[in-house]
Each structure stands twice: as C-alpha cells, then as structure tokens.
Amino acid sequence: MIYDLSKDQLVRKTLENYSGASNLMHNEKVRELMAAGKTIYHFGFGQSPFPIMSKAAERLSKHASKAAYLPVAGFAICDFHKRYDDISRSPDDVIVGPGSKELIFLLMNIFEGVWILASDTNVIIPSRTSDFVIMILSPSGSCTDIIVISPSWTSYTPQVQLSQHTPRVIVANMADEWKITPASFKQFLESENFSKVKLLILNNPDTPTGTLYTKEELISLRDVCRQHKVIVLADEIYARLTYADEFTSMARVQRFKFNCVCTFYE
C-alpha cells in the first residue's frame, strides 16, 4: 500500500520555517563564487585553512591502532579546569562527548527540569564536554522555554526547535557591548509569560560578537537567574581564546554547582 502524504502531515508544525545553518549556507555561497573566478576574502567560516601540524599528525599515526571507546569520565578535565578556571569538580560531574553542538542538543532533548537546590536529592547529574558540564535534572516538572540571546551562534535556535522546546529571544544591544544586562534580563523575564523553569544559553566569550562578560557581570546575572528560576547553559567553548586572559567561568560564580551547565572544548 502506498500512502500519499503531504509535507504538512509528515513534518511537525514547529519546523515549518526551518532551514539549514546560515553559516554553512554562507560558506557554500562563497565556494560557488570562488569557483566562478571571483576574488573573495572569506572571514565567515571558522574552519582552519592550515595543514595539520606535523607533530599532531605523527601522534595520530602512532596511536591509530587504538580504536576502543575511551572512558567518559573526565579525570584530566577536572585537573585542567582546577588549574585554569579554579573550578573544583569530581569526575562524576563530567562527561566527555563528540563535540559542543551535539552535546548541547542532547541536553536540550533530555531537559525537563525543576528548580533544585544543593540539598535536594533524587537528581541526575550529566556534564558535558570535550567539553565540561554541571547540571541538574529531575524526573518531575517541565520546562519548555529556552532563552536565546540575539545575536548568537546560528545553531542554538534550530536546536531548540528540533528538541521541541520554545525559543524565546532576548536582544542584546551594541550600546551594552552586545551583552544582556541584569536590568534588561530581569525586565525581559517579568514582561513575558514563561514556563516555571527556564534555560538560558549564555555564550561567553560570545560568537559572533566577540564580547566577554566580566566576573562582576556574571555575578549580577547569576542573582537574576536564581530569582527567576533560570538554569544557565554556559557555552564557554572559546574560553581559552581571550586576548587579556581575563575569562571567568559561570560555574565559578554559581553558589551551587547544579544551577549551571558549562561547556568547554579541550
């Protein structure tokens, strides 16, 4: 039997306006123009044009026969972040994964949280990293609102839609150095009808703007988040790329480790 089904019958309504990642589409357009003989100075894609370093290639070749799955606990990762970020965590708080975007997406898919303090029990604590995480989930309650800052990395909003949550966009302004301020964030949270628990995606250092939140700014945002029951997914993949080495992780300023999910690339 052959079923003649329309797109409306096959695709979720929330994905009607879904499209490919804008940075990948832009990159394909640049390739087309280059292939047509146009002179293009391509700064729109973060893919290295340089060959793999010989030392790295040598080490990869040496260990190519070691194909078994690696342990997911992050002992070395804990030592690394204690040294560079003054964050003390157990390997039980860390999961090693295949990259930031996939782990963020998986976290969105499993997220159905209630607000939990450090004394609460019956929790699941995944962490994300090659990449590094600390977060709390509970089997009860629900959360449908994930807050995305605009401008932001191109995959956040599509990931929210694919995970069947609702993207709620707060706009950052150039006058505030493309940061959300405690006042603007508080006003945003109080002017909208949100679900009981929210998840904020905070990219710090930020792409595409390059802005960097100070420790004092993060502390002020932390207080607003606790007041309004917002869990922070702090995507800190560019933490090691600051000019003045002044990066502070959101995990450092949290009073309880379960209120924040931090993602680092190692």
Side-chain angles (χ1 to χ4, degrees), residues 53-68:
M53 293 180 292
S54 58
K55 285 290 185 182
E58 180 182 315
R59 294 295 295 272
L60 288 170
S61 176
K62 179 180 178 181
H63 296 281
S65 62
K66 299 178 181 179

mmCIF file with all atom_site columns, all heavy atoms in Angstrom, residues 53-68:
data_model
loop_
_atom_site.group_PDB
_atom_site.id
_atom_site.type_symbol
_atom_site.label_atom_id
_atom_site.label_alt_id
_atom_site.label_comp_id
_atom_site.label_asym_id
_atom_site.label_entity_id
_atom_site.label_seq_id
_atom_site.pdbx_PDB_ins_code
_atom_site.Cartn_x
_atom_site.Cartn_y
_atom_site.Cartn_z
_atom_site.occupancy
_atom_site.B_iso_or_equiv
_atom_site.pdbx_formal_charge
_atom_site.auth_seq_id
_atom_site.auth_comp_id
_atom_site.auth_asym_id
_atom_site.auth_atom_id
_atom_site.pdbx_PDB_model_num
ATOM 1   N N   . MET A 1 53 ? 49.424 20.122 11.866 1.00 0.00 ? 53 MET A N   1
ATOM 2   C CA  . MET A 1 53 ? 50.805 20.201 12.319 1.00 0.00 ? 53 MET A CA  1
ATOM 3   C C   . MET A 1 53 ? 51.460 18.829 12.255 1.00 0.00 ? 53 MET A C   1
ATOM 4   O O   . MET A 1 53 ? 50.846 17.813 12.584 1.00 0.00 ? 53 MET A O   1
ATOM 5   C CB  . MET A 1 53 ? 50.871 20.759 13.742 1.00 0.00 ? 53 MET A CB  1
ATOM 6   C CG  . MET A 1 53 ? 50.436 22.202 13.861 1.00 0.00 ? 53 MET A CG  1
ATOM 7   S SD  . MET A 1 53 ? 50.548 22.809 15.575 1.00 0.00 ? 53 MET A SD  1
ATOM 8   C CE  . MET A 1 53 ? 49.248 21.833 16.352 1.00 0.00 ? 53 MET A CE  1
ATOM 9   N N   . SER A 1 54 ? 52.713 18.799 11.837 1.00 0.00 ? 54 SER A N   1
ATOM 10  C CA  . SER A 1 54 ? 53.410 17.520 11.643 1.00 0.00 ? 54 SER A CA  1
ATOM 11  C C   . SER A 1 54 ? 53.466 16.703 12.926 1.00 0.00 ? 54 SER A C   1
ATOM 12  O O   . SER A 1 54 ? 53.324 15.477 12.905 1.00 0.00 ? 54 SER A O   1
ATOM 13  C CB  . SER A 1 54 ? 54.823 17.768 11.096 1.00 0.00 ? 54 SER A CB  1
ATOM 14  O OG  . SER A 1 54 ? 55.568 18.595 11.986 1.00 0.00 ? 54 SER A OG  1
ATOM 15  N N   . LYS A 1 55 ? 53.678 17.375 14.068 1.00 0.00 ? 55 LYS A N   1
ATOM 16  C CA  . LYS A 1 55 ? 53.740 16.663 15.346 1.00 0.00 ? 55 LYS A CA  1
ATOM 17  C C   . LYS A 1 55 ? 52.395 16.001 15.671 1.00 0.00 ? 55 LYS A C   1
ATOM 18  O O   . LYS A 1 55 ? 52.340 14.871 16.166 1.00 0.00 ? 55 LYS A O   1
ATOM 19  C CB  . LYS A 1 55 ? 54.137 17.623 16.473 1.00 0.00 ? 55 LYS A CB  1
ATOM 20  C CG  . LYS A 1 55 ? 55.607 18.014 16.473 1.00 0.00 ? 55 LYS A CG  1
ATOM 21  C CD  . LYS A 1 55 ? 56.480 16.828 16.875 1.00 0.00 ? 55 LYS A CD  1
ATOM 22  C CE  . LYS A 1 55 ? 57.932 17.245 16.992 1.00 0.00 ? 55 LYS A CE  1
ATOM 23  N NZ  . LYS A 1 55 ? 58.805 16.083 17.343 1.00 0.00 ? 55 LYS A NZ  1
ATOM 24  N N   . ALA A 1 56 ? 51.304 16.725 15.383 1.00 0.00 ? 56 ALA A N   1
ATOM 25  C CA  . ALA A 1 56 ? 49.979 16.163 15.637 1.00 0.00 ? 56 ALA A CA  1
ATOM 26  C C   . ALA A 1 56 ? 49.714 14.979 14.723 1.00 0.00 ? 56 ALA A C   1
ATOM 27  O O   . ALA A 1 56 ? 49.183 13.944 15.159 1.00 0.00 ? 56 ALA A O   1
ATOM 28  C CB  . ALA A 1 56 ? 48.915 17.241 15.437 1.00 0.00 ? 56 ALA A CB  1
ATOM 29  N N   . ALA A 1 57 ? 50.084 15.112 13.456 1.00 0.00 ? 57 ALA A N   1
ATOM 30  C CA  . ALA A 1 57 ? 49.904 14.015 12.508 1.00 0.00 ? 57 ALA A CA  1
ATOM 31  C C   . ALA A 1 57 ? 50.722 12.796 12.920 1.00 0.00 ? 57 ALA A C   1
ATOM 32  O O   . ALA A 1 57 ? 50.264 11.648 12.806 1.00 0.00 ? 57 ALA A O   1
ATOM 33  C CB  . ALA A 1 57 ? 50.297 14.473 11.104 1.00 0.00 ? 57 ALA A CB  1
ATOM 34  N N   . GLU A 1 58 ? 51.905 13.043 13.425 1.00 0.00 ? 58 GLU A N   1
ATOM 35  C CA  . GLU A 1 58 ? 52.780 11.953 13.875 1.00 0.00 ? 58 GLU A CA  1
ATOM 36  C C   . GLU A 1 58 ? 52.159 11.200 15.049 1.00 0.00 ? 58 GLU A C   1
ATOM 37  O O   . GLU A 1 58 ? 52.158 9.963  15.089 1.00 0.00 ? 58 GLU A O   1
ATOM 38  C CB  . GLU A 1 58 ? 54.139 12.547 14.277 1.00 0.00 ? 58 GLU A CB  1
ATOM 39  C CG  . GLU A 1 58 ? 55.152 11.542 14.767 1.00 0.00 ? 58 GLU A CG  1
ATOM 40  C CD  . GLU A 1 58 ? 56.445 12.225 15.193 1.00 0.00 ? 58 GLU A CD  1
ATOM 41  O OE1 . GLU A 1 58 ? 56.922 13.115 14.451 1.00 0.00 ? 58 GLU A OE1 1
ATOM 42  O OE2 . GLU A 1 58 ? 56.965 11.867 16.269 1.00 0.00 ? 58 GLU A OE2 1
ATOM 43  N N   . ARG A 1 59 ? 51.609 11.941 16.018 1.00 0.00 ? 59 ARG A N   1
ATOM 44  C CA  . ARG A 1 59 ? 50.989 11.306 17.182 1.00 0.00 ? 59 ARG A CA  1
ATOM 45  C C   . ARG A 1 59 ? 49.722 10.547 16.790 1.00 0.00 ? 59 ARG A C   1
ATOM 46  O O   . ARG A 1 59 ? 49.451 9.451  17.293 1.00 0.00 ? 59 ARG A O   1
ATOM 47  C CB  . ARG A 1 59 ? 50.662 12.358 18.243 1.00 0.00 ? 59 ARG A CB  1
ATOM 48  C CG  . ARG A 1 59 ? 51.876 13.030 18.878 1.00 0.00 ? 59 ARG A CG  1
ATOM 49  C CD  . ARG A 1 59 ? 52.711 12.043 19.672 1.00 0.00 ? 59 ARG A CD  1
ATOM 50  N NE  . ARG A 1 59 ? 51.981 11.531 20.822 1.00 0.00 ? 59 ARG A NE  1
ATOM 51  C CZ  . ARG A 1 59 ? 51.965 12.109 22.019 1.00 0.00 ? 59 ARG A CZ  1
ATOM 52  N NH1 . ARG A 1 59 ? 52.654 13.223 22.228 1.00 0.00 ? 59 ARG A NH1 1
ATOM 53  N NH2 . ARG A 1 59 ? 51.281 11.581 23.013 1.00 0.00 ? 59 ARG A NH2 1
ATOM 54  N N   . LEU A 1 60 ? 48.936 11.122 15.878 1.00 0.00 ? 60 LEU A N   1
ATOM 55  C CA  . LEU A 1 60 ? 47.729 10.441 15.411 1.00 0.00 ? 60 LEU A CA  1
ATOM 56  C C   . LEU A 1 60 ? 48.075 9.132  14.724 1.00 0.00 ? 60 LEU A C   1
ATOM 57  O O   . LEU A 1 60 ? 47.415 8.104  14.930 1.00 0.00 ? 60 LEU A O   1
ATOM 58  C CB  . LEU A 1 60 ? 46.952 11.350 14.452 1.00 0.00 ? 60 LEU A CB  1
ATOM 59  C CG  . LEU A 1 60 ? 46.238 12.550 15.078 1.00 0.00 ? 60 LEU A CG  1
ATOM 60  C CD1 . LEU A 1 60 ? 45.735 13.491 13.998 1.00 0.00 ? 60 LEU A CD1 1
ATOM 61  C CD2 . LEU A 1 60 ? 45.070 12.078 15.945 1.00 0.00 ? 60 LEU A CD2 1
ATOM 62  N N   . SER A 1 61 ? 49.123 9.172  13.906 1.00 0.00 ? 61 SER A N   1
ATOM 63  C CA  . SER A 1 61 ? 49.564 7.969  13.201 1.00 0.00 ? 61 SER A CA  1
ATOM 64  C C   . SER A 1 61 ? 50.042 6.908  14.187 1.00 0.00 ? 61 SER A C   1
ATOM 65  O O   . SER A 1 61 ? 49.735 5.715  14.045 1.00 0.00 ? 61 SER A O   1
ATOM 66  C CB  . SER A 1 61 ? 50.679 8.324  12.215 1.00 0.00 ? 61 SER A CB  1
ATOM 67  O OG  . SER A 1 61 ? 51.176 7.164  11.580 1.00 0.00 ? 61 SER A OG  1
ATOM 68  N N   . LYS A 1 62 ? 50.760 7.339  15.214 1.00 0.00 ? 62 LYS A N   1
ATOM 69  C CA  . LYS A 1 62 ? 51.316 6.415  16.196 1.00 0.00 ? 62 LYS A CA  1
ATOM 70  C C   . LYS A 1 62 ? 50.228 5.668  16.961 1.00 0.00 ? 62 LYS A C   1
ATOM 71  O O   . LYS A 1 62 ? 50.373 4.488  17.295 1.00 0.00 ? 62 LYS A O   1
ATOM 72  C CB  . LYS A 1 62 ? 52.216 7.187  17.170 1.00 0.00 ? 62 LYS A CB  1
ATOM 73  C CG  . LYS A 1 62 ? 52.851 6.335  18.258 1.00 0.00 ? 62 LYS A CG  1
ATOM 74  C CD  . LYS A 1 62 ? 53.727 7.194  19.170 1.00 0.00 ? 62 LYS A CD  1
ATOM 75  C CE  . LYS A 1 62 ? 54.328 6.335  20.288 1.00 0.00 ? 62 LYS A CE  1
ATOM 76  N NZ  . LYS A 1 62 ? 55.163 7.168  21.194 1.00 0.00 ? 62 LYS A NZ  1
ATOM 77  N N   . HIS A 1 63 ? 49.107 6.357  17.234 1.00 0.00 ? 63 HIS A N   1
ATOM 78  C CA  . HIS A 1 63 ? 48.052 5.768  18.061 1.00 0.00 ? 63 HIS A CA  1
ATOM 79  C C   . HIS A 1 63 ? 46.828 5.359  17.239 1.00 0.00 ? 63 HIS A C   1
ATOM 80  O O   . HIS A 1 63 ? 45.758 5.102  17.807 1.00 0.00 ? 63 HIS A O   1
ATOM 81  C CB  . HIS A 1 63 ? 47.624 6.769  19.139 1.00 0.00 ? 63 HIS A CB  1
ATOM 82  C CG  . HIS A 1 63 ? 48.718 7.100  20.113 1.00 0.00 ? 63 HIS A CG  1
ATOM 83  N ND1 . HIS A 1 63 ? 49.062 6.272  21.159 1.00 0.00 ? 63 HIS A ND1 1
ATOM 84  C CD2 . HIS A 1 63 ? 49.569 8.165  20.175 1.00 0.00 ? 63 HIS A CD2 1
ATOM 85  C CE1 . HIS A 1 63 ? 50.062 6.812  21.844 1.00 0.00 ? 63 HIS A CE1 1
ATOM 86  N NE2 . HIS A 1 63 ? 50.389 7.958  21.259 1.00 0.00 ? 63 HIS A NE2 1
ATOM 87  N N   . ALA A 1 64 ? 46.965 5.281  15.914 1.00 0.00 ? 64 ALA A N   1
ATOM 88  C CA  . ALA A 1 64 ? 45.827 4.960  15.048 1.00 0.00 ? 64 ALA A CA  1
ATOM 89  C C   . ALA A 1 64 ? 45.243 3.580  15.327 1.00 0.00 ? 64 ALA A C   1
ATOM 90  O O   . ALA A 1 64 ? 44.055 3.338  15.083 1.00 0.00 ? 64 ALA A O   1
ATOM 91  C CB  . ALA A 1 64 ? 46.257 5.055  13.580 1.00 0.00 ? 64 ALA A CB  1
ATOM 92  N N   . SER A 1 65 ? 46.051 2.663  15.859 1.00 0.00 ? 65 SER A N   1
ATOM 93  C CA  . SER A 1 65 ? 45.565 1.300  16.117 1.00 0.00 ? 65 SER A CA  1
ATOM 94  C C   . SER A 1 65 ? 44.704 1.210  17.362 1.00 0.00 ? 65 SER A C   1
ATOM 95  O O   . SER A 1 65 ? 44.022 0.200  17.587 1.00 0.00 ? 65 SER A O   1
ATOM 96  C CB  . SER A 1 65 ? 46.758 0.344  16.250 1.00 0.00 ? 65 SER A CB  1
ATOM 97  O OG  . SER A 1 65 ? 47.577 0.726  17.358 1.00 0.00 ? 65 SER A OG  1
ATOM 98  N N   . LYS A 1 66 ? 44.712 2.258  18.182 1.00 0.00 ? 66 LYS A N   1
ATOM 99  C CA  . LYS A 1 66 ? 43.936 2.244  19.431 1.00 0.00 ? 66 LYS A CA  1
ATOM 100 C C   . LYS A 1 66 ? 42.530 2.753  19.146 1.00 0.00 ? 66 LYS A C   1
ATOM 101 O O   . LYS A 1 66 ? 42.256 3.955  19.220 1.00 0.00 ? 66 LYS A O   1
ATOM 102 C CB  . LYS A 1 66 ? 44.626 3.098  20.489 1.00 0.00 ? 66 LYS A CB  1
ATOM 103 C CG  . LYS A 1 66 ? 46.028 2.595  20.836 1.00 0.00 ? 66 LYS A CG  1
ATOM 104 C CD  . LYS A 1 66 ? 46.707 3.489  21.855 1.00 0.00 ? 66 LYS A CD  1
ATOM 105 C CE  . LYS A 1 66 ? 48.115 2.986  22.179 1.00 0.00 ? 66 LYS A CE  1
ATOM 106 N NZ  . LYS A 1 66 ? 48.802 3.862  23.149 1.00 0.00 ? 66 LYS A NZ  1
ATOM 107 N N   . ALA A 1 67 ? 41.639 1.818  18.793 1.00 0.00 ? 67 ALA A N   1
ATOM 108 C CA  . ALA A 1 67 ? 40.312 2.209  18.313 1.00 0.00 ? 67 ALA A CA  1
ATOM 109 C C   . ALA A 1 67 ? 39.190 1.943  19.315 1.00 0.00 ? 67 ALA A C   1
ATOM 110 O O   . ALA A 1 67 ? 38.024 2.114  18.991 1.00 0.00 ? 67 ALA A O   1
ATOM 111 C CB  . ALA A 1 67 ? 40.014 1.465  17.007 1.00 0.00 ? 67 ALA A CB  1
ATOM 112 N N   . ALA A 1 68 ? 39.519 1.505  20.515 1.00 0.00 ? 68 ALA A N   1
ATOM 113 C CA  . ALA A 1 68 ? 38.478 1.202  21.503 1.00 0.00 ? 68 ALA A CA  1
ATOM 114 C C   . ALA A 1 68 ? 37.855 2.490  22.037 1.00 0.00 ? 68 ALA A C   1
ATOM 115 O O   . ALA A 1 68 ? 38.485 3.559  22.022 1.00 0.00 ? 68 ALA A O   1
ATOM 116 C CB  . ALA A 1 68 ? 39.082 0.404  22.658 1.00 0.00 ? 68 ALA A CB  1
#
